[in-house]
Amino acid sequence: MSTNPSREDDRPGNEPDRDEESNTLLPPPQAPPSPSPSPNHADDEDEEEYEVAFQSREKILIVDVESTDVTGTATPPFSWKKLWLFTGPGFLMSIAFLDPGNLEGDLQAGAIAGYSLLWLLMWATVMGLLIQLLSARIGVATGRHLAELCREEYPDWARLVLWFMAEVALIGADIQEVIGSAIAIQILSNGHLPLWAGVLITASDCFMFLFLENYGVRKLEALFAVLIGTMALSFAWMFGDTQPSGKELLAGLLIPRLGSKTIRQAVGVVGCVIMPHNVFLHSALVQSRKINPEKKGSVQEAIKYYSIESSAALLVSFMINLFVTTVFAKGFYGTKQAQKIGLVNAGQYLEEKYGGGIFPILYIWGIGLLAAGQSSTITGTYAGQFIMGGFLNLRLKKWMRALITRSFAIVPTIIVAVVFDTSEASLDVLNEWLNVLQSMQIPFALIPLLTLVSKEQVMGIFKIGLTLQRVAWSVASLVMMINGYLLLDFFISEVKGMLFGSIVFSITAAYIAFIVYLIPRDGSLSVLWKSFA
């Protein structure tokens, strides 16, 4: 049987209707038009097929002000109201600059090197800002975060290796963050709660995260604002209480100095500013705002506002790190305790040095450390969701992803807390190993980021130019070389025995081979380096 409508109309019983008075043909009845899918409906269909950072209904809508620009290419004028709407992701990103591992690096740099490394802390923060701005740029311009783009750009085996490396880095950071929170809980409980109990209490933040996430992104961002404010107030109070030298502080910021005895602390200061999981996190967080990706002006506007708020967030984080470094520089530089001080005993040394008072400095330190630990563990849970969902395209409910992500870190952390609860020296050694572990993962976040953000097929007109590429690759190379020095120095001092040495050598060879594989071979880097001449 034919299915051609024109043929069926010619058969008896299918003649067109006629007007009885004029004997003219009437047009055939028209079927009602089917409703066209709305943009939100299309978004929902995409979200069912792919794992996304935020569902359409979760995003904060950024409404375009009426404009005479019909092409959508012009960037709207600056608006404080819009800046407020875009404010949030940068402050969540800045938490990684304030986690307990960073605070330990700050206090050790201050105790051992005094004020001399403040200039390096400032410039390291600037380098970290550049990397995070590129991460935000790629998220806004493509509508996908870095883990999703890696899934699309790399073959399956490389994608799985990158996912494994990102998870290892995240677990290493999470152990430090949870242990930092547990130490703070131990301080605030007057030592009545053991380390493992503090770990279990900190693990419960996963449920607080899920609870707040149900009430919207802005509620979660408000929680982080409170935690950052708590850190700023606590460490500023310590700064005012101890009164470090203003003259030495300015000299440390403006005059670069680096001694042979402070190289390890200098490497630690630079190494702490680039956290692999944070690069993935920021590219996802910026997608919490809903803009029109078809309008060039809207994308440029979003990049502009995210750049402003990220700069402001890292300025706050720099000031907090500055407070911690200078407090310990004033109290312990040149003393016998300088080489022994760490996160575990820092509060005790502060109390011995500055005493009690109405608000004992020990508890002020504990409150600041607790805020740092809690905020960083929650962002770690957030980052873990994006990393797992992006690389593996797992379409799981958020509570399930958060539970899996939290379990990856909490189980080894509880083991660490039970084993090392009574040994400060062992915890310091463990912290060194965790720093090395995270340093090893840095190339696996930076190289894909810089490769993709320079690629026109990915970024379109928003790919970065040659000048910015030069600066970004130079910063990335510097950070990777500094971390390479840290790895070499650590393994030379720690690795003993022929068998263990040969195993380390084999792992190092495979590690370098994968880094070489990730470096783009399309000639873009050759053009870039030739342009330096």
Side-chain angles (χ1 to χ4, degrees), residues 394-414:
L394 294 179
R395 294 184 292 277
L396 298 175
K397 292 189 178 296
K398 285 193 173 182
W399 69 266
M400 178 63 71
R401 277 184 297 164
L403 196 59
I404 293 172
T405 303
R406 177 51 67 232
S407 300
F408 278 168
I410 290 301
V411 173
T413 307
I414 292 174

Side-chain angles (χ1 to χ4, degrees), residues 40 100 120 232 278 287 383 498:
N40 286 341
L120 191 59
N278 208 38
Q287 292 172 49
M498 185 67 70

Side-chain angles (χ1 to χ4, degrees), residues 482-508:
I482 287 173
N483 281 279
Y485 171 84
L486 174 64
L487 295 174
L488 184 63
D489 177 64
F490 180 79
F491 282 122
I492 287 174
S493 62
E494 296 291 333
V495 173
K496 297 177 178 67
M498 185 67 70
L499 177 61
F500 193 38
S502 60
I503 293 172
V504 170
F505 177 79
S506 302
I507 294 173
T508 302

Side-chain angles (χ1 to χ4, degrees), residues 29 33 56 67 79 97 106 155 218 221 232 236 256 285 422 436 446 472:
S56 294
S67 171
S79 163
F97 290 70
D106 292 337
R218 282 309 235 185
E221 291 171 351
L285 291 175
T422 57
V436 167
L446 291 190

